[in-house]
Amino acid sequence: MLYQVTKPARYTGGEWNSLIKDWDKTRIKVVLTYPDLYEIGMSNIALPILYELLNSQPDVLAERVYAPWTDMAAIMKKTGIPLFSLESKHPLRDFDIIGFSLGYELTYTNVLNMLHLAQIPVLASERNDSHPVVIAGGSCALNPEPMADFVDIFVIGEGEEVLLELLDSFRDWKGKGASKSQLLRQVATIPGIYVPSLYQVEYQSDSLLKSITPTVPQASPTIQRRIVTKLPPPVTKPVVPYIEVVQDRGAIEIQRGCSRGCRFCQAGIIYRPVRERPQSEVLQAAGELIANCGYNEVSLVSLSTSDYHGVDELVTSLSHHYPNLTLSLPSLRIDSSSVRLMNSLPAHKKTGLTFAPEAGSERLRQFINKNAPEDEILKTAAAAFDRGFINLKLYFMLGLPTETDDDIEAITKLVDKIHSLGRKAKGKKPQIRVSLSTFVPKPHTPFQWVAQEREQQLNAKHEFLKLGLRRKGIRLSWQDPKLSLLEAALSRGDRRLGKVIYGAWKLGCTFDAWSEHFNYGNWLCAFEQAGLEPGFYAYRERSLDESLPWTHIDVGVTTAFLKREYQHALDGRETSDCRYKICNACGLQHWQPDCQQKYQQLSQSQEILKD
Ligand code: SF4
């Protein structure tokens, strides 16, 4: 069948560094998956950590599988070939555990489709003791409710420690030969584990959520996000794909977490606090990655690379030790620190740079706590052009709360000024790519209560920017507002959305993030069949005391902090970066030693301590 599909290497396995353990002699069998195409899944940085961790256990084998593209899925259905792992080619139903990484809401229907292709019942309630246990983790698991009908166990937060605890329970359970429901009750006692079937959800007469309460004593009313104190060793022997993937380079996680405090950013909250990897470890990891994988490009992965202490020194040492290595520095801040970083890169490695002003006007940037003054942005852009970077990518977000026409116009003015700076710089003509995304009010952020902007308004803003930025050297791309609506509904949804996801999948929806496959009509139909409205979830502003579908998930950052941040936004008040200034008492002070120290130093602000 490989002759009949595009890119057969997506399904052949056998890649460099992939691990095949003895199937018959290994007790616990796990298959890990990112529910998207191979090229996307192989670029995910969380799965290699878990793959290595699980395979390091003598009695555990971990293999991989990704969502088969539609051509392959059609052949599998027609021929009855069940979805199989890339390593040993065993059908997924022969594994003990299937672990899904949920990083994007628009992959949810792929989870259902993969289970179906694996000939495993899609609904958790229809699976019995003979079926694998379905586990899901990742950033979307921080609001697990929309996927609660399909998943047996959610891992809330960082998986490195909790997975080992889960395995201990699994070993114990397997040894006893007990039922799956006994396993679920047992693992529900582990901090960071959420077993949705052990909770009852009630709604009010006005359709708002009333409560999510445990139905058994083993299940806790709130589930705490797991955080590892120290970053686990970097993965230096990842599987190397044989075809080009999205992130076709080595990756070293140099730090986890971000304390900048951008108020729209979910990652900034759910990966707190910041933990840095020592420079010596990064240097060693780069050498091992080159030796083990043959990479000539390595990405220093972080939510905010410029904030890593001594990043210039790190880049200089890496360039010195590995002169042929190209470094990719994602997520740079728009200020002088990035200019310094640019200087430390050798001349031949200057390709493109990406910056995210997010909003066009200083007022709106202040509102979202992205405190980048315009002169700083322009200085950084000028320095980039002077140093030979000709390709700049600029990210903006549309539909932010309080956004006005002036803020949209400010985007055109800012891009224009940057473009002119590029034309003044010597050398080639500048190429500026402007990427417009839509603001999605995400759970666990200071903006979790606000409404998403409607499609009509977003379309008008797109049209305005298309006209305003129509010139040579500027390329504009934008997100379909219908996709953003669906993303908002799925990310802020409650358990009733399970029916919608199921219905949409039944109507044929898969690969929803892919514009050629996104079928808005089918989704609307699925919402209607379930008696629900996408706008109820996306376009509705919540009151600050509404019970939200993710209230039982405790990410460590308190609701009091989120409310305070929302109020600070409305007051136009900046919240400083707690890494460099005082602790902002976000709630994590009880969880991490570094935060405890900073919190103790906090005596200046009575207002914060009152909370
Ligand atoms: S507890 Fe304080 S120092 Fe720690 S992440 Fe929160 S605000 Fe920053």
Side-chain angles (χ1 to χ4, degrees):
M1 66 184 172
L2 292 177
Y3 291 103
Q4 301 167 51
V5 297
T6 46
K7 301 203 182 174
R10 288 170 179 161
Y11 316 103
T12 52
E15 306 100 315
W16 189 249
N17 290 338
S18 59
L19 278 160
I20 304 187
K21 284 192 168 181
D22 190 326
W23 181 269
D24 295 324
K25 290 193 183 134
T26 314
R27 198 160 160 238
I28 301 174
K29 297 158 179 91
V30 184
V31 63
L32 296 171
T33 179
Y34 188 86
D36 209 323
L37 201 59
Y38 177 88
E39 290 93 313
I40 312 269
M42 282 295 285
S43 305
N44 179 277
I45 64 153
L47 281 189
I49 300 175
L50 304 180
Y51 185 77
E52 193 174 278
L53 178 83
L54 292 170
N55 276 316
S56 71
Q57 305 290 303
D59 62 342
V60 180
L61 65 78
E63 304 192 353
R64 296 160 302 133
V65 66
Y66 302 98
W69 190 239
T70 47
D71 53 357
M72 182 65 158
I75 293 175
M76 292 175 106
K77 268 192 208 155
K78 200 170 142 201
T79 55
I81 296 172
L83 186 60
F84 53 86
S85 68
L86 289 176
E87 277 79 1
S88 69
K89 316 287 186 293
H90 274 89
L92 262 58
R93 56 168 188 248
D94 291 353
F95 285 80
D96 296 302
I97 296 170
I98 305 179
F100 284 98
S101 173
L102 301 179
Y104 189 27
E105 293 81 359
L106 298 181
T107 62
Y108 286 173
T109 53
N110 284 0
V111 173
L112 277 61
N113 207 42
M114 289 177 77
L115 288 172
H116 182 66
L117 288 170
Q119 301 172 4
I120 295 168
V122 160
L123 291 165
S125 59
E126 289 180 2
R127 295 194 289 266
N128 58 35
D129 290 3
S130 73
H131 294 116
V133 177
V134 176
I135 301 182
S139 60
C140 294
L142 275 298
N143 176 19
E145 291 307 303
M147 288 297 280
D149 290 348
F150 317 105
V151 174
D152 299 314
I153 298 170
F154 284 99
V155 173
I156 306 297
E158 294 166 355
E160 290 94 340
E161 289 171 356
V162 65
L163 264 189
L164 296 181
E165 293 163 28
L166 204 57
L167 277 176
D168 281 342
S169 293
F170 200 84
R171 281 185 192 103
D172 188 41
W173 169 75
K174 248 196 144 177
K176 285 186 195 149
S179 69
K180 194 194 271 183
S181 71
Q182 277 168 299
L183 171 75
L184 295 183
R185 280 167 194 239
Q186 192 180 329
V187 299
T189 59
I190 302 173
I193 292 296
Y194 176 53
V195 179
S197 59
L198 303 182
Y199 291 75
Q200 181 187 347
V201 185
E202 287 183 280
Y203 301 93
Q204 299 172 177
S205 54
D206 55 4
S207 207
L208 297 183
L209 181 76
K210 189 173 169 200
S211 60
I212 301 180
T213 39
T215 53
V216 295
Q218 291 91 338
S220 162
T222 53
I223 298 93
Q224 287 186 347
R225 172 173 69 104
R226 292 295 293 260
I227 306 170
V228 296
T229 318
K230 188 175 172 289
L231 286 188
V235 176
T236 55
K237 221 175 171 193
V239 177
V240 183
Y242 285 150
I243 53 171
E244 197 178 330
V245 297
V246 175
Q247 301 290 333
D248 215 3
R249 55 183 80 95
I252 305 171
E253 185 185 28
I254 61 166
Q255 68 183 352
R256 203 176 281 183
C258 172
S259 48
R260 289 258 129 203
C262 298
R263 293 179 177 127
F264 59 85
C265 178
Q266 192 190 43
I269 298 287
I270 65 170
Y271 296 116
R272 277 183 185 215
V274 174
R275 286 141 296 163
E276 290 190 3
R277 187 179 299 292
Q279 282 200 23
S280 55
E281 230 176 90
V282 180
L283 272 175
Q284 190 184 335
E288 289 176 14
L289 264 177
I290 298 168
N292 293 333
C293 309
Y295 280 125
N296 58 6
E297 184 175 356
V298 165
S299 174
L300 303 182
V301 178
S302 154
L303 288 170
S304 172
T305 310
S306 322
D307 287 323
Y308 177 89
H309 281 110
V311 66
D312 330 30
E313 200 190 312
L314 173 68
V315 168
T316 310
S317 324
L318 282 166
S319 302
H320 174 74
H321 278 84
Y322 313 108
N324 295 321
L325 187 69
T326 298
L327 290 175
S328 144
L329 306 169
S331 320
L332 290 182
R333 236 167 44 204
I334 324 172
D335 60 15
S336 51
S337 66
S338 300
V339 179
R340 278 201 323 270
L341 252 182
M342 291 174 219
N343 284 336
S344 52
L345 278 176
H348 66 283
K349 291 175 186 169
K350 287 172 182 167
T351 48
L353 278 181
T354 301
F355 293 114
E358 305 292 3
S361 70
E362 235 165 84
R363 181 204 70 81
L364 196 52
R365 284 198 294 276
Q366 223 159 34
F367 184 87
I368 60 175
N369 209 40
K370 182 109 197 178
N371 295 299
E374 182 164 305
D375 56 349
E376 190 87 31
I377 296 177
L378 295 176
K379 252 196 264 168
T380 312
F385 290 128
D386 281 348
R387 282 157 183 79
F389 290 91
I390 48 159
N391 298 323
L392 286 198
K393 187 164 186 187
L394 302 171
Y395 281 105
F396 290 96
M397 203 174 268
L398 297 187
L400 283 162
T402 74
E403 186 177 79
T404 63
D405 291 348
D406 290 345
D407 297 312
I408 300 299
E409 204 180 336
I411 295 179
T412 58
K413 288 184 183 156
L414 183 63
V415 175
D416 228 7
K417 285 180 193 165
I418 293 174
H419 188 237
S420 314
L421 287 171
R423 281 206 316 246
K424 277 186 218 148
K426 52 186 182 300
K428 295 179 192 155
K429 294 198 173 74
Q431 291 297 324
I432 298 177
R433 278 161 55 208
V434 179
S435 170
L436 307 172
S437 64
T438 308
F439 164 67
V440 175
K442 290 270 179 172
H444 305 293
T445 66
F447 292 156
Q448 64 179 357
W449 296 278
V450 309
Q452 190 184 40
E453 186 149 60
R454 287 173 188 267
E455 188 188 345
Q456 209 181 353
Q457 277 92 36
L458 286 167
N459 281 334
K461 289 176 181 178
H462 288 156
E463 288 310 313
F464 179 87
L465 289 169
K466 274 189 243 175
L467 274 177
L469 292 173
R470 185 178 292 165
R471 76 208 57 179
K472 233 180 164 173
I474 299 180
R475 263 176 49 209
L476 196 66
S477 61
W478 57 91
Q479 202 175 21
D480 179 354
K482 291 185 172 77
L483 259 184
S484 309
L485 163 69
L486 184 60
E487 184 186 337
L490 293 176
S491 75
R492 312 169 92 191
D494 52 45
R495 203 173 279 201
R496 290 172 294 191
L497 280 197
K499 279 200 176 65
V500 178
I501 297 166
Y502 187 79
W505 167 71
K506 274 277 181 199
L507 289 165
C509 291
T510 57
F511 288 103
D512 298 294
W514 296 71
S515 54
E516 65 268 45
H517 287 290
F518 177 54
N519 189 324
Y520 187 56
N522 278 350
W523 274 100
L524 287 185
C525 187
F527 269 100
E528 206 182 316
Q529 283 170 359
L532 297 167
E533 266 274 329
F536 174 80
Y537 296 100
Y539 297 152
R540 186 174 58 86
E541 185 178 344
R542 275 73 162 156
S543 78
L544 290 184
D545 53 9
E546 183 175 325
S547 181
L548 302 169
W550 51 92
T551 310
H552 58 310
I553 304 296
D554 178 4
V555 293
V557 173
T558 59
T559 308
F561 171 78
L562 299 180
K563 285 182 181 171
R564 197 166 65 226
E565 274 303 286
Y566 184 24
Q567 191 54 50
H568 283 184
L570 296 169
D571 298 342
R573 265 176 75 177
E574 179 186 347
T575 300
S576 56
D577 185 335
C578 61
R579 192 147 35 146
Y580 303 103
K581 300 206 174 145
I582 59 160
C583 167
N584 296 310
C586 72
L588 284 169
Q589 56 271 15
H590 310 299
W591 295 45
Q592 287 286 311
D594 283 1
C595 292
Q596 278 165 22
Q597 276 170 20
K598 281 220 183 99
Y599 184 66
Q600 277 157 15
Q601 293 159 4
L602 170 73
S603 54
Q604 295 93 323
S605 172
Q606 288 303 316
E607 186 201 341
I608 288 175
L609 289 173
K610 209 168 61 203
D611 277 335

